[in-house]
Amino acid sequence: MFEIAERVQIRDELIAAARQDADIAGAAVVGSAARGAEDRWSDIDLVLQLAPDADEPPVVARWTRSIDDKYGVADTLDVASREGVRYRVFLLGSSLQVDLSFWPHELFRATEDGFQLVFGKANEPTSAAEPGREQAIGMAWLYALHARSAIARGRTWQAVLMLDDLRNQIITSECLRHGLNPWHGREVDRLPAPVLERLRDGRAASVSLTELERSRLALLQHYLAAVAHHDAERAIALRRALGPAQRGAGGTTNC
């Protein structure tokens, strides 16, 4: 397990390397450190602005080699955004996570709260796209249908997966309702106690079909109540289609 001093040292060294790199025009600290919420388990989040004439793939490859040589990389994961930003996530041998994002010069900007410019010049900030309530409502009923059919077919582990996905959509809806950030569960624990209690009660205690069905019905009730806060008419229509009377266990389905 990495030490806090190690994390601070590595972040400082990465920033120093960015200042010396002709292909990097700017850098910013983001994430928990920028929001003043860093703790024992926080990772490193750095945003790097590519120089106007920088060729991104060789720059990323060079940084990857350098980080591996200096700190030892166990694995990496690339996430590409729609804007053309590459997020390379490093897992170091010490278990420290290092998130480096490489931004085209003209796109370098703050997209969320907590953007501490270290050097360079950022463009005008924008807001990241928030998870949509409409999408969460629609995906939830889709997962609810598949959970019902999985239980009816005796596919316990498929049911577990579908119920987990249903719960995640409920969490997104509840976070949006209460003005909290659902991204990666960042503020889920700040939901009101009654909501957290319903989420807890909706978890299956085992993978038996009886318990999975109990979980499905509890999550379904929670889902319909969450929809009703947003759109009462829609909740009524969804209840007719998905309501507890239409139990899946022991039956058949074409879902």
Side-chain angles (χ1 to χ4, degrees):
M1 178 67 187
F2 64 88
E3 299 296 330
I4 293 176
E6 174 191 1
R7 180 181 66 206
V8 173
Q9 178 182 345
I10 291 175
R11 180 167 54 221
D12 289 346
E13 290 176 354
L14 291 174
I15 290 173
R19 289 183 182 276
Q20 297 299 316
D21 192 330
D23 288 319
I24 303 297
V29 175
V30 294
S32 58
R35 298 193 305 271
E38 198 171 33
D39 63 16
R40 174 71 181 86
W41 305 97
S42 296
D43 54 20
I44 294 174
D45 287 296
L46 290 178
V47 175
L48 302 179
Q49 179 188 32
L50 294 168
D53 58 349
D55 187 8
E56 185 248 38
V59 174
V60 175
R62 175 162 50 79
W63 272 76
T64 300
R65 288 193 301 271
S66 176
I67 291 173
D68 189 23
D69 290 342
K70 290 179 181 178
Y71 311 116
V73 174
D75 205 3
T76 63
L77 169 67
D78 273 11
V79 181
S81 75
R82 287 178 297 179
E83 293 80 12
V85 177
R86 185 203 295 260
Y87 294 82
R88 176 154 289 186
V89 184
F90 297 81
L91 174 63
L92 303 188
S94 62
S95 82
L96 176 62
Q97 176 183 331
V98 179
D99 297 349
L100 293 185
S101 55
F102 297 82
W103 291 61
H105 190 271
E106 68 280 4
L107 296 181
F108 181 64
R109 57 170 55 87
T111 59
E112 60 181 54
D113 292 337
F115 179 93
Q116 293 184 356
L117 184 66
V118 178
F119 70 91
K121 183 178 180 181
N123 295 292
E124 286 299 314
T126 59
S127 297
E130 295 184 354
R133 182 183 283 108
E134 293 296 315
Q135 179 77 358
I137 291 174
M139 291 302 297
W141 64 249
L142 184 63
Y143 290 130
L145 281 179
H146 287 294
R148 184 182 68 184
S149 61
I151 293 170
R153 291 166 174 154
R155 298 175 181 173
T156 55
W157 286 106
Q158 183 186 22
V160 168
L161 291 173
M162 293 301 101
L163 291 172
D164 285 347
D165 287 334
L166 170 57
R167 182 183 302 105
N168 289 341
Q169 299 304 318
I170 294 171
I171 287 172
T172 295
S173 296
E174 290 284 25
C175 282
L176 293 175
R177 174 188 163 202
H178 293 282
L180 299 172
N181 183 1
W183 181 249
H184 285 236
R186 282 181 180 171
E187 295 183 336
V188 172
D189 290 281
R190 292 174 54 192
L191 283 168
V195 176
L196 293 175
E197 185 176 350
R198 293 195 75 172
L199 289 170
R200 182 200 67 199
D201 292 344
R203 292 190 64 86
S206 72
V207 295
S208 71
L209 290 176
T210 300
E211 181 60 13
L212 291 172
E213 176 66 0
R214 185 204 64 78
S215 172
R216 183 185 75 84
L217 294 175
L219 287 173
L220 185 58
Q221 290 297 336
H222 191 169
Y223 165 63
L224 293 170
V227 175
H229 282 287
H230 172 61
D231 187 333
E233 247 182 69
R234 190 173 186 180
I236 291 171
L238 286 166
R239 182 176 294 277
R240 283 197 295 264
L242 303 171
Q246 299 184 23
R247 294 174 181 264
T252 60
T253 177
N254 292 320
C255 294

